[in-house]
Amino acid sequence: MRTSTSVRIDEDAKMIASEVLKQYGMSLSEGINLFCKQVAMTYSIPFELKVPTERMQKALKELEKEKENHLIQ
């Protein structure tokens, strides 16, 4: 049985993920469905999760500031 759901996804992540999945012959919906099936089958996240290093956190904050500055201008 199929069900419908709505998710909020960062616009850039959605665009990139859609393009990557397209290269595998999948739609974004199929990719999300695949992810959910893997979680359900393994009772875990199907990839390694890492806490960003301090250096990475700083770089991410700088990118967010740049993004905000572009939106303001």
Side-chain angles (χ1 to χ4, degrees):
M1 181 176 171
R2 288 240 193 250
T3 186
S4 186
T5 190
S6 177
V7 295
R8 295 192 186 278
I9 303 173
D10 177 76
E11 187 176 344
D12 292 337
K14 179 183 175 186
M15 183 179 67
I16 294 168
S18 293
E19 287 300 316
V20 171
L21 290 166
K22 189 179 191 179
Q23 293 176 13
Y24 287 95
M26 287 188 269
S27 66
L28 182 61
S29 180
E30 290 168 322
I32 292 170
N33 195 28
L34 179 64
F35 170 79
C36 290
K37 284 182 179 182
Q38 284 294 308
V39 170
M41 284 180 8
T42 63
Y43 288 87
S44 65
I45 304 294
F47 46 82
E48 185 178 0
L49 296 176
K50 295 182 179 182
V51 176
T53 63
E54 191 174 316
R55 180 178 173 202
M56 178 61 79
Q57 288 175 350
K58 183 179 177 184
L60 290 171
K61 285 179 185 176
E62 288 175 11
L63 283 172
E64 279 300 315
K65 284 181 187 176
E66 286 182 29
K67 193 174 182 181
E68 287 173 10
N69 286 338
H70 286 18
L71 291 175
I72 293 171
Q73 296 173 354

